[in-house]
């Protein structure tokens, strides 16, 4: 089975071809980041229009690369939620039109399930059951994963998502969108060049039981710190930005570390999978590796390009569901809001 995956839920057009026996054949990504950077965030209408321009040429590109033609595609998987409705509609329309024309099956995939399964594309994939930490621009969730489609949400953010918090902290310091990678780079600069940071930011909701998260207090704390630096000396220096970034990154990573460890201990599971844009964060990966090694547990993650949005994760998740005989019936079933614990398990 050769499955074409299409991801258009936000500001990245991702496509991929996944072979059920040979694995990933080709994948491509076009990021709209530069286009949205001028606005400090994603402009939904611009995102949709750009997906219209980019999706078909990207598909042609991966078909050429894999030496295949359209008629070699045996099924299509596309992201049908959650995400920006217009952006989702573009992927859904192209996927459904292609499937109709080629007379092949199609399946709509949950974007966060795509993220969650992305580490399966790596050489030593995790085995079920495991705890999944989903940390993206829109979600922060701890999920108990029995198997594909069997998801129990153990905890989630009651306000901002971790990636969103990174993006907002970056904006406060005048850094470009998306802020996560920029804050991470500045944090590293503080470690390398400025002997760390004098600041300590709060670890929200870690001192009480439970697995929920909250990042809005941390956001306010960051803003207040920036204001007090500005009051003293006017603008933020490069060193200030680096030190605030490090204090911020440490607070987010430490919060995630505490909750992940708690989830593993509560469930008795020994495998953690981290997925979504923030799982590309090197400090998060290293911190979890260190913490988990002490409790004989292991953390798995995807290569950085498969942590952020991509088509490969959708092609992979689609292949697993299609192999189990699942199909999407109704065309254009985009679901901008879609709780992950309502997904159908594999039979
Ligand atoms: O999964 P993703 O590409 O899109 C969504 O589904 O939201 O995640 C994007 C988020 C952004 O908030 C971005 O700032 C964050 O992931 N991100 C990072 C890093 N790389 C991306 N956050 C922290 N450190 C990184 N290295
Ligand atoms: Zn995503």
């Amino acid at each position: 089975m050769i499955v074409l995956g299409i991801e258009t839920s936000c500001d990245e057009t991702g496509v991929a071809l996944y072979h059920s026996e040979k694995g990933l054949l080709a994948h491509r990504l076009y990021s709209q980041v530069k286009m949205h950077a001028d606005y400090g965030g994603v402009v939904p209408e611009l995102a949709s229009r750009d997906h219209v321009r980019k999706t078909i040429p990207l598909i042609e590109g991966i078909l050429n690369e894999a030496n295949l033609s359209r008629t070699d595609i045996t099924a299509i998987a596309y992201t049908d939620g959650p995400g920006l409705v217009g952006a989702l509609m573009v992927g859904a329309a192209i996927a459904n039109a292609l499937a109709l024309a080629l007379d092949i099956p199609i399946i709509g995939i949950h974007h966060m399930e795509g993220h969650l399964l992305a580490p399966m594309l790596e050489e030593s994939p995790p085995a079920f059951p495991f705890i999944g930490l989903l940390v993206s621009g829109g979600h922060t969730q701890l999920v108990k994963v029995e198997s594909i489609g069997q998801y129990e949400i153990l905890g989630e953010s009651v306000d901002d998502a971790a990636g969103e918090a990174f993006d907002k902290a970056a904006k406060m310091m005048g850094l470009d969108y998306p802020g996560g990678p920029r804050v991470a780079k500045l944090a590293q600069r503080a470690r390398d060049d400025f002997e760390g940071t004098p600041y300590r930011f709060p670890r929200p909701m870690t001192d009480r039981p439970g697995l929920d998260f909250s990042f809005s207090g941390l956001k306010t704390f960051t803003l207040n710190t920036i204001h007090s630096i500005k009051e003293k000396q006017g603008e933020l220096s490069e060193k200030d930005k680096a030190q605030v970034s490090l204090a911020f990154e440490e607070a987010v990573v430490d919060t995630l570390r505490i909750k992940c460890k708690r989830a593993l201990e509560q469930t008795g599971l020994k495998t953690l999978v981290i997925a979504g844009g923030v799982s590309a964060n090197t400090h998060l990966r290293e911190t979890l590796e260190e913490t988990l090694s002490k409790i004989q547990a292991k953390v798995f993650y995807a290569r950085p390009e498969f942590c952020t949005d991509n088509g490969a994760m959708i092609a992979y998740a689609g292949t697993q569901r299609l192999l189990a005989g699942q199909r999407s019936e109704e065309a254009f079933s985009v679901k901008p809001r879609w709780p992950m614990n309502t997904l159908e398990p594999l039979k």
Side-chain angles (χ1 to χ4, degrees):
M1 182 185 277
I2 296 177
V3 178
L4 166 67
I6 302 177
E7 154 63 40
T8 65
S9 68
C10 190
D11 58 346
E12 248 117 30
T13 320
V15 298
L17 290 163
Y18 190 87
H19 190 293
S20 50
E21 279 100 50
K22 295 182 195 155
L24 195 60
L25 302 178
H27 65 98
R28 275 189 198 185
L29 184 87
Y30 177 81
S31 172
Q32 307 175 350
V33 155
K34 279 204 188 83
M35 183 177 76
H36 298 294
D38 289 346
Y39 303 91
V42 180
V43 184
E45 180 58 28
L46 293 183
S48 315
R49 289 187 212 173
D50 213 50
H51 287 309
V52 171
R53 279 190 288 269
K54 298 297 179 342
T55 310
I56 304 270
L58 283 170
I59 294 171
E60 295 299 334
I62 49 169
L63 284 171
N64 282 340
E65 196 180 314
N67 250 327
L68 296 171
S69 66
R70 282 184 195 187
T71 48
D72 292 318
I73 303 171
T74 26
I76 299 182
Y78 69 100
T79 305
D80 70 346
L84 302 170
V85 65
L88 289 167
M89 286 293 280
V90 177
I94 292 171
N96 279 284
L98 265 176
L100 260 177
L102 297 168
D103 195 21
I104 53 176
I106 183 163
I107 185 134
I109 292 297
H110 192 290
H111 180 79
M112 298 313 293
E113 175 172 81
H115 275 306
L116 186 66
L117 301 180
M120 301 287 182
L121 291 159
E122 302 305 330
E123 236 166 60
S124 50
F128 296 108
F130 57 75
I131 296 293
L133 171 73
L134 288 167
V135 269
S136 70
H139 291 78
T140 301
Q141 290 180 321
L142 271 166
V143 191
K144 188 176 171 203
V145 181
E146 290 292 344
S147 62
I148 294 177
Q150 274 191 285
Y151 308 127
E152 183 191 344
I153 314 276
L154 302 177
E156 59 192 329
S157 177
V158 296
D159 40 57
D160 293 354
E164 190 182 359
F166 266 99
D167 296 338
K168 287 178 178 169
K171 211 170 177 178
M172 290 173 204
M173 291 185 278
L175 307 171
D176 279 347
Y177 172 86
R182 288 181 170 82
V183 170
K185 213 169 160 192
L186 274 167
Q188 194 50 43
R189 184 110 203 262
R191 284 186 201 100
D192 295 342
D193 302 340
F194 303 121
E195 292 167 5
T197 179
Y199 307 110
R200 186 183 158 86
F201 289 4
R203 276 70 169 145
M205 290 176 80
T206 50
D207 53 355
R208 48 181 132 145
L211 295 168
D212 283 338
F213 305 88
S214 163
F215 291 106
S216 75
L218 177 59
K219 186 178 65 186
T220 312
F221 195 93
T222 309
L223 189 63
N224 290 342
T225 306
I226 292 171
H227 279 325
S228 67
I229 299 172
K230 281 187 176 167
E231 262 170 32
K232 263 188 241 147
Q233 61 184 61
E235 279 316 294
L236 259 63
S237 68
E238 207 47 27
K239 182 176 174 181
D240 294 328
K241 287 183 191 172
Q243 293 185 328
V244 169
S245 294
L246 178 54
F248 177 85
E249 188 188 63
E250 280 184 341
V252 175
V253 167
D254 207 31
T255 304
L256 296 174
R257 176 187 69 78
I258 292 166
K259 295 291 162 91
C260 286
K261 185 165 173 265
R262 199 177 283 173
L264 289 168
E265 284 167 350
Q266 277 184 13
T267 55
L269 293 175
K270 292 287 178 193
T271 308
L272 175 73
V273 168
I274 57 170
V278 183
S279 70
N281 186 283
T282 314
H283 182 52
L284 176 65
R285 293 170 171 221
E286 289 173 359
T287 303
L288 287 172
E289 253 154 30
E290 200 190 314
T291 299
L292 267 53
S293 73
K294 290 181 195 148
I295 55 166
Q296 286 73 51
K298 218 176 155 217
V299 58
F300 291 79
Y301 40 75
R303 68 194 88 163
E305 65 175 327
F306 291 164
C307 288
T308 44
D309 292 350
N310 65 85
M313 65 185 196
I314 302 304
Y316 177 82
T319 304
Q320 307 316 308
R321 289 190 170 275
L322 288 157
L323 285 174
Q326 293 183 7
R327 308 277 183 268
S328 286
E329 300 302 338
E330 77 275 42
F332 291 85
S333 69
V334 298
K335 304 178 187 79
R337 285 170 188 280
W338 187 9
M340 201 163 82
N341 52 1
T342 61
L343 294 186
E344 203 182 320
L346 294 199
K347 297 272 152 36

